[in-house]
Amino acid sequence: MTTTFLDTVLRRARAGIGTFPYPHQAAALLDNPLRRRMEDPGQSIDVLELTGNERVLEIGPGAGFFSVELAGRLDSGQLDLFDIQPQMLAKARRKLEQADHHDVGYTAGQAGATLPFPASTFDAAFLAEVIGEVPDKQACVRSLAVVLKPGGKLVFHEAFLDPDRLSVAELRALCEPAGFVLDHAQESRWKDIVRFRRTP
Ligand SMILES: C[S@@+](CC[C@H](N)C(=O)[O-])C[C@H]1O[C@@H](n2cnc3c(N)ncnc32)[C@H](O)[C@@H]1O
């Protein structure tokens, strides 16, 4: 990963504190006009290459910055949101309902444990700036391998200013032993968008 000096400082500072979820009280910093000006959520969602009828799982949607874009791409498919903080799910739900997306599933829980969905449910899963906050990342990825269909896509968006940002190399080390293969990687100093596929 090409990192910035600030990335390094943030990672070092965070290392002494341990992992914890981004606080829901600061959700406004995740979903605001400034971020929208600097970052097009559609660019990361494009990497999922959705056709419109898929079942998609978004882990850690926060206040729904990417979720509205995701729901908008699923004409006859379905989106499920999963987050450890029910308050974040409530914020995402408000945003989705305002955008007229009413057929979305909301489940609260720990992504570092068994995900509460039947095996081979989803065609794709999306995680933006989440995996670094999950205490048991390996358990999370193993569980994603179970709930994704064979050939299913797993897309990570990792970006600058997130103190828990994982590099493409770190994502590979995490995902490949769980049965995923790297399929696509857009890397830059500011943002990495990385797609894996679940092996059949
Ligand atoms: C930094 S926020 C990113 C939110 C959103 N993806 C975005 O980019 O705007 C991280 C999100 O992951 C959720 N999260 C953190 N740890 C989690 C865990 N172990 N299980 C499920 N969700 C988790 C947090 O509650 C929060 O909503």
Side-chain angles (χ1 to χ4, degrees), residues 7-199:
D7 266 319
T8 310
V9 171
L10 288 167
R11 280 162 75 100
R12 289 265 165 84
R14 184 74 140 120
I17 304 171
T19 53
F20 55 86
Y22 179 95
H24 66 86
Q25 294 88 345
L29 297 178
L30 291 172
D31 190 14
N32 59 65
L34 182 62
R35 184 179 183 193
R36 208 161 284 280
R37 279 186 70 156
M38 292 168 61
E39 177 162 37
D40 170 13
Q43 203 191 344
S44 298
I45 302 305
D46 282 348
V47 173
L48 285 162
E49 294 182 344
L50 298 171
T51 58
N53 60 0
E54 292 91 345
R55 276 205 69 176
V56 179
L57 174 64
E58 183 183 3
I59 306 251
F65 182 75
F66 293 94
S67 319
V68 173
E69 183 74 29
L70 263 173
R73 306 277 182 107
L74 296 170
D75 306 329
S76 55
Q78 206 206 314
L79 175 64
D80 274 276
L81 303 186
F82 183 90
D83 201 293
I84 199 164
Q85 298 181 85
Q87 297 91 336
M88 284 297 205
L89 290 174
K91 288 176 201 295
R93 182 196 282 262
R94 220 166 18 250
K95 195 172 169 65
L96 280 154
E97 292 189 349
Q98 274 166 8
D100 224 18
H101 297 297
H102 300 279
D103 185 22
V104 174
Y106 299 89
T107 308
Q110 165 64 267
T114 304
L115 291 166
F117 302 99
S120 299
T121 298
F122 297 101
D123 300 284
F126 179 74
L127 290 83
E129 300 175 36
V130 177
I131 190 69
E133 292 183 11
V134 177
D136 192 341
K137 297 172 188 31
Q138 283 168 341
C140 175
V141 171
R142 277 197 305 270
S143 189
L144 280 163
V146 173
V147 301
L148 278 167
K149 296 176 184 170
K153 298 167 206 163
L154 172 58
V155 171
F156 294 94
H157 163 116
E158 295 285 299
F160 171 67
L161 268 185
D162 179 357
D164 304 303
R165 179 179 181 180
L166 294 197
S167 66
V168 176
E170 286 169 324
L171 290 172
R172 288 187 71 176
L174 194 59
C175 295
E176 288 173 351
F180 289 97
V181 285
L182 182 70
D183 190 29
H184 171 95
Q186 276 169 238
E187 281 182 81
S188 79
R189 190 176 290 271
W190 309 111
K191 178 166 68 176
D192 303 321
I193 310 171
V194 189
R195 186 177 67 217
F196 292 88
R197 267 185 199 272
R198 199 200 123 178
T199 48

